[in-house]
């Protein structure tokens, strides 16, 4: 890999600023100053920028406990983007694997790996997402069967795929769905004449939201969590 590209892949430097750093003599290879941007970096080379050892950032996999009044977008719009909660190098390389509404809290997965995120978001993969929800009106036992059979959503052709509804109280339940239709959970409850008043995502596939993460906090996924997305 070219030295200027290696610097860009290891830092927040652009190609232009990387070349300026090289020209200033800020970059060393195995202790020797290198100013040639086309210098070929190999595994045997120790590259330092202003004395700091550089390594390729590589793919990143992050879980975030999303707070309310933030959006799952890469840019700020009506509300600030969840990307702004991350203290990372080159946040512009990240994208969000599945979205939550501004008023919904809980697990958001963020990555640089498009193929990995596709396995989460593609309807064909049927990756389960589990939500904890509260409703305006009481929930009845007969809803469990209705959600298993599938519901007719407004402006949709056909029924939703079978979903698992677990009643936790008169106004609280857990719901697991394998689709990702627009505002799906809220629309499913609306289809049975109810309204979601609070919504929190607990898991995506086998990845559970870390109980130690407060709202707005994040961490990198473990290798086991990354590999759980088949």
């Amino acid at each position: 890999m070219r030295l200027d590209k290696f610097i860009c892949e290891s830092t927040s430097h652009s190609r232009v600023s990387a070349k300026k750093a090289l020209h200033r003599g800020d970059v060393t290879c195995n202790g020797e100053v290198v100013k040639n941007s086309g210098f070929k970096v190999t595994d045997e080379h120790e590259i330092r920028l202003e004395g700091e050892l550089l390594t390729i950032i590589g793919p990143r996999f992050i879980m975030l406990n999303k707070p309310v009044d933030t959006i799952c977008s890469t840019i700020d719009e009506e509300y600030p983007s969840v990307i702004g909660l991350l203290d990372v190098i080159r946040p512009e390389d990240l994208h969000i694997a599945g979205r939550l509404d501004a008023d919904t809290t809980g697990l958001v997965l963020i990555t640089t790996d498009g193929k990995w995120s596709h396995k989460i978001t593609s309807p064909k993969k049927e990756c389960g997402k589990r939500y904890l929800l509260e409703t305006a009106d009481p929930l009845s036992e007969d809803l469990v069967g209705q959600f298993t059979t599938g519901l007719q959503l407004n402006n949709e052709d056909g029924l939703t795929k079978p979903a698992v509804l677990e009643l936790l109280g008169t106004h609280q339940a857990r719901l697991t769905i394998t689709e990702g239709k627009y505002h799906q959970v809220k629309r499913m409850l609306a289809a049975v004449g109810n309204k979601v008043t609070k919504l929190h995502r607990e898991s995506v596939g086998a990845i559970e939201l870390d109980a130690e993460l407060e709202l707005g906090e994040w961490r990198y996924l473990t290798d086991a969590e990354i590999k759980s997305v088949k």
Side-chain angles (χ1 to χ4, degrees):
M1 182 184 296
R2 287 173 55 100
L3 181 53
D4 54 356
K5 184 178 181 182
F6 181 89
I7 295 169
C8 294
E9 293 292 325
S10 307
T11 68
S12 58
H13 277 281
S14 66
R15 187 67 66 93
V16 171
S17 61
K19 288 182 177 180
K20 288 181 178 179
L22 287 162
H23 181 73
R24 290 193 302 267
D26 293 341
V27 181
T28 61
C29 175
N30 296 343
E32 299 291 332
V33 172
V34 180
K35 294 188 176 183
N36 178 12
S37 60
F39 177 83
K40 297 298 183 182
V41 179
T42 69
D43 292 340
E44 286 72 39
H45 292 143
E46 181 183 271
I47 307 298
R48 291 181 179 269
L49 175 63
E50 296 182 333
E52 290 194 20
L53 181 65
L54 301 186
T55 56
I56 297 293
I57 295 173
R60 288 174 281 175
F61 305 87
I62 293 168
M63 74 159 59
L64 167 75
N65 189 357
K66 178 189 173 297
V68 296
D69 295 339
T70 57
I71 56 172
C72 292
S73 169
T74 54
I75 58 174
D76 295 339
E77 296 174 8
E78 181 180 359
Y79 295 103
S81 166
V82 294
I83 299 296
L85 298 171
L86 308 177
D87 181 18
V88 296
I89 294 175
R90 287 166 46 193
E92 66 274 10
D93 292 348
L94 298 165
H95 67 269
I96 300 159
R99 300 191 171 194
L100 293 179
D101 297 337
D103 60 352
T104 301
T105 61
L107 178 60
V108 171
L109 298 176
I110 303 169
T111 183
T112 56
D113 189 328
K115 291 183 179 179
W116 186 85
S117 63
H118 178 72
K119 294 174 183 177
I120 292 172
T121 58
S122 173
K124 293 181 180 179
K125 301 298 182 180
E126 296 190 346
C127 179
K129 291 91 174 175
R130 190 179 76 241
Y131 297 83
L132 180 66
L133 60 90
E134 295 180 8
T135 59
D137 299 319
L139 297 162
S140 58
E141 288 287 347
D142 65 296
L143 292 178
V144 174
Q146 293 183 49
F147 276 72
T148 300
T149 302
L151 300 172
Q152 181 62 59
L153 303 185
N154 190 33
N155 297 322
E156 294 281 352
D157 294 329
L159 303 179
T160 57
K161 290 183 178 179
V164 178
L165 183 69
E166 177 191 0
L167 301 184
L168 302 176
T170 58
H171 292 75
Q172 189 179 63
R174 280 193 171 91
L175 176 63
T176 302
I177 61 175
T178 58
E179 300 173 284
K181 296 181 185 295
Y182 181 69
H183 295 321
Q184 182 169 343
V185 174
K186 295 176 180 177
R187 293 168 69 201
M188 290 178 82
L189 270 296
V192 294
N194 210 326
K195 180 180 179 180
V196 174
T197 58
K198 190 174 182 180
L199 189 60
H200 178 81
R201 185 155 69 190
E202 298 180 316
S203 68
V204 174
I207 302 174
E208 300 273 347
L209 178 61
D210 191 327
E212 295 186 1
L213 291 180
E214 299 290 340
L215 289 171
E217 293 184 340
W218 62 277
R219 69 163 172 80
Y220 288 105
L221 296 186
T222 65
D223 288 341
E225 288 169 335
I226 295 168
K227 292 176 181 176
S228 73
V229 178
K230 304 298 183 181

